[in-house]
Amino acid sequence: MSAPVDPQDPHRFYADVRATIDAVPVDGQPRTVTTTLERICHAATRRLELMGSAVNLISAGGPDGVVASSSPRARELAELEFTVGEGPGIQAFRSRRPVLVADLTRSDGRWPGYTSAAQSADLAAVFAFPLHIGAVGFGVLELYADAPGALDRDQTATAVTYAQIGTETLLDGEATTADGQLVPSLATALDYRSEIAQAQGMVMIDLGISVSEALVRLRTHAFTHEEPLISVARKVIDGYVLPGHDDA
Amino acid sequence: MISTNQLADVFVEVADTLVDDFDLVDFLHNLAVHAADVTGTSAVGLMLTDPTGTLRFMAASTADARLLELFQLQHSEGPCLDCYRIGEQVHDTDLGSAADRWPTFAPRALAADVHSVHTFPLRLRDRIIGALNTFGPEPVALDADTIRVVQALADVATIAIIQERALSRADILTEQLQFALNSRIVIEQAKGAISRALGVSVGDAFNVLRDHARRNQLRLTDLAHDVVTNTDTMSSLKPR
């Protein structure tokens, strides 16, 4: 049984989860976003003692495909959802909230096609966490279990943290250092101050780019100017316009 | 002291918005505004916990940046965090002497002309899912009746967050809280975008968003999402 969530030290909790990803060997693979997401899937599966996990990328037009998984079986389960066109991952993305199905035999008729196919594949429980920051959404992290049962509070917190790190990985692109460690984030998922989100909306309009690109620009600007993200955000709110690509 | 009429009005209006299709961020914002009205305090804010146990700012009765910062910094220190940890109301009516207790929060509160705080837990059975915080301009305590009313409003906020379904499935709480916290980010992104596109303040941008949602019977969060992902939606918005 895991220890209860300690509300007093969220940074430590976050760092512990990151360390489990750093601990997954790189095995000489290229350091790409996909490799990092694969390592997140492996770490999450191991840490949460589940059967497997996968990352599905989804856009407004629909599913784009399975980009990472902990095993071939996990990949098949992730693909299954897109074959039948429904399921917890798609619902999590569309409704912008986690969809936690502790027992597929009691999924309340939500996805009849998916449920019967998943049960034929011996899936008992599935937990889908959207990879999003506000209106920016990349897809979902799905976790699979062989036996029914809900995630406890610590497991839920852990899973949400893996999803946050997955989101950051998708935002930051090349996300690891030469020795395969995750790059310490400029704005960890713990920084949810309103000003940062407001500045994203402002940069989006200032530069005529998408909100997701605006988020990347803000982070890059903070990084190259060695300035905390919050202070860049406050400058933007006070009227500063980030340089566009051409005059950067 | 709150009059019975005033009290009835608040609860009727709060209950009116607690319908099937309500928007949680909008609802909690209204609740904060009502709580500020009935208490006569400078500001009321609501904080919710994320799954890692971190308190996150959710809604406030004010757009004053200094006061918003006082809510936001309480993920690491302050009466909301204390209230969340001990699961009971926290009252301090002399922030001038509270620097030992809250070395960051207390001086910033005084600089923002806040001299008293009252914090109420959002309690769901054995779990605390957040806190409601009032900031007063004078070093004066709320009277006992008002404290009971504000705790009742905090309880209504909890009910709104979990909705009835929570009773049947524990996972709903996680799903709802995560949705609420992300909705907050969506709305902040939209406020920033509207503020630049229409040349209005961030506070006014929220009013533009809310007015448009009400006129067109849209959920605030859905509209905010559209505003930042669809340029046509932005061009349909108008300043007040």
Side-chain angles (χ1 to χ4, degrees):
Chain A
M1 187 62 201
S2 47
V5 175
D6 178 3
Q8 299 187 27
D9 200 350
H11 290 88
R12 169 120 186 251
F13 185 86
Y14 183 80
D16 286 350
V17 173
R18 286 180 72 98
T20 66
I21 301 166
D22 285 337
V24 178
V26 188
D27 294 337
Q29 294 172 70
R31 298 189 308 276
T32 62
V33 172
T34 309
T35 315
T36 305
L37 293 174
E38 292 261 347
R39 293 166 78 211
I40 290 173
C41 290
H42 285 293
T45 303
R46 199 170 305 165
R47 168 81 170 231
L48 297 169
E49 298 176 354
L50 296 171
M51 182 268 284
S53 99
V55 172
N56 286 314
L57 296 189
I58 308 176
S59 52
D64 294 331
V66 181
V67 70
S69 60
S70 63
S71 67
R73 186 174 168 209
R75 175 173 291 271
E76 278 169 29
L77 288 168
E79 282 168 351
L80 172 70
E81 193 161 337
F82 298 142
T83 312
V84 297
E86 61 177 15
I90 294 172
Q91 183 172 327
F93 182 81
R94 291 203 178 131
S95 66
R96 306 195 293 274
R97 69 183 83 205
V99 172
L100 309 176
V101 187
D103 184 350
L104 265 174
T105 63
R106 297 204 217 160
S107 63
D108 307 332
R110 279 192 279 182
W111 323 281
Y114 172 83
T115 303
S116 90
Q119 286 177 304
S120 306
D122 292 327
L123 184 65
V126 54
F127 310 98
F129 295 87
L131 304 174
H132 62 188
I133 300 179
V136 177
F138 295 103
V140 289
L141 171 71
E142 279 193 335
L143 302 165
Y144 308 109
D146 278 331
L151 299 178
D152 64 25
R153 278 170 68 179
D154 185 64
Q155 287 175 313
T156 304
T158 304
V160 166
T161 305
Y162 280 117
Q164 286 169 337
I165 296 171
T167 307
E168 289 178 356
T169 301
L170 285 158
L171 271 176
D172 286 345
E174 298 291 324
T176 58
T177 60
D179 57 353
Q181 305 292 291
L182 288 173
V183 174
S185 275
L186 297 160
T188 70
L190 299 173
D191 199 340
Y192 285 108
R193 275 174 285 186
S194 305
E195 294 94 321
I196 293 173
Q198 288 166 9
Q200 287 162 20
M202 292 179 179
V203 171
M204 167 187 144
I205 298 297
D206 286 345
L207 303 185
I209 55 182
S210 71
V211 65
S212 126
E213 207 183 326
L215 180 47
V216 173
R217 286 292 181 87
L218 268 175
R219 290 163 72 98
T220 310
H221 188 89
F223 180 75
T224 52
H225 292 77
E226 295 183 17
E227 205 177 337
L229 188 62
I230 184 70
S231 77
V232 180
R234 285 183 178 143
K235 279 205 273 191
V236 169
I237 290 170
D238 288 340
Y240 176 66
V241 175
L242 288 192
H245 252 327
D246 299 336
D247 44 25
Chain B
M1 185 69 108
I2 300 168
S3 76
T4 312
N5 275 342
Q6 193 186 7
L7 191 57
D9 287 348
V10 167
F11 277 94
V12 165
E13 197 186 321
V14 164
D16 262 356
T17 50
L18 196 54
V19 290
D20 245 6
D21 209 29
F22 78 110
D23 184 279
L24 189 58
V25 182
D26 203 8
F27 177 82
L28 294 177
H29 171 83
N30 283 337
L31 191 128
V33 170
H34 281 306
D37 279 351
V38 298
T39 55
T41 51
S42 317
V44 169
L46 280 154
M47 312 279 289
L48 296 183
T49 60
D50 72 13
T52 67
T54 307
L55 269 185
R56 285 170 53 187
F57 169 69
M58 188 63 205
S61 63
T62 177
D64 182 324
R66 286 180 316 165
L67 295 173
L68 292 177
E69 180 62 15
L70 281 184
F71 294 117
Q72 297 203 88
L73 65 83
Q74 293 194 58
H75 64 87
S76 59
E77 176 200 301
C80 274
L81 188 57
D82 291 0
C83 170
Y84 171 57
R85 283 181 183 158
I86 62 177
E88 285 169 17
Q89 294 177 6
V90 170
H91 306 287
D92 195 311
T93 51
D94 183 14
L95 286 177
S97 317
D100 286 348
R101 190 176 187 187
W102 301 308
T104 307
F105 175 82
R108 291 216 203 172
L110 294 174
D113 294 323
V114 171
H115 291 267
S116 58
V117 290
H118 294 81
T119 307
F120 303 81
L122 267 56
R123 182 192 299 278
L124 176 62
R125 294 185 292 269
D126 61 336
R127 240 181 117 161
I128 310 296
I129 63 168
L132 184 153
N133 205 179
T134 72
F135 293 153
E138 311 283 344
V140 175
L142 297 175
D143 65 68
D145 283 346
T146 306
I147 284 176
R148 282 171 54 210
V149 170
V150 178
Q151 183 62 59
L153 285 170
D155 294 343
V156 171
T158 307
I159 291 165
I161 292 159
I162 60 169
Q163 301 173 308
E164 277 179 88
R165 291 178 296 164
L167 301 172
S168 61
R169 217 155 62 77
D171 284 342
I172 290 282
L173 180 59
T174 301
E175 297 176 6
Q176 285 286 89
L177 283 174
Q178 282 294 91
F179 178 70
L181 292 167
N182 195 61
S183 296
R184 175 85 221 160
I185 305 293
V186 177
I187 286 168
E188 298 298 347
Q189 289 170 338
K191 279 162 65 179
I194 293 168
S195 140
R196 276 297 211 269
L198 301 186
V200 298
S201 73
V202 169
D204 285 343
F206 182 68
N207 293 329
V208 168
L209 193 67
R210 216 154 45 112
D211 289 351
H212 189 89
R214 291 200 175 150
R215 259 199 318 273
N216 297 284
Q217 296 186 314
L218 300 167
R219 281 195 225 193
L220 188 65
T221 306
D222 292 341
L223 175 63
H225 192 270
D226 265 3
V227 163
V228 285
T229 53
N230 181 343
T231 45
D232 290 345
T233 306
M234 177 66 92
S235 47
S236 70
L237 296 180
K238 288 177 191 65
R240 262 186 164 178

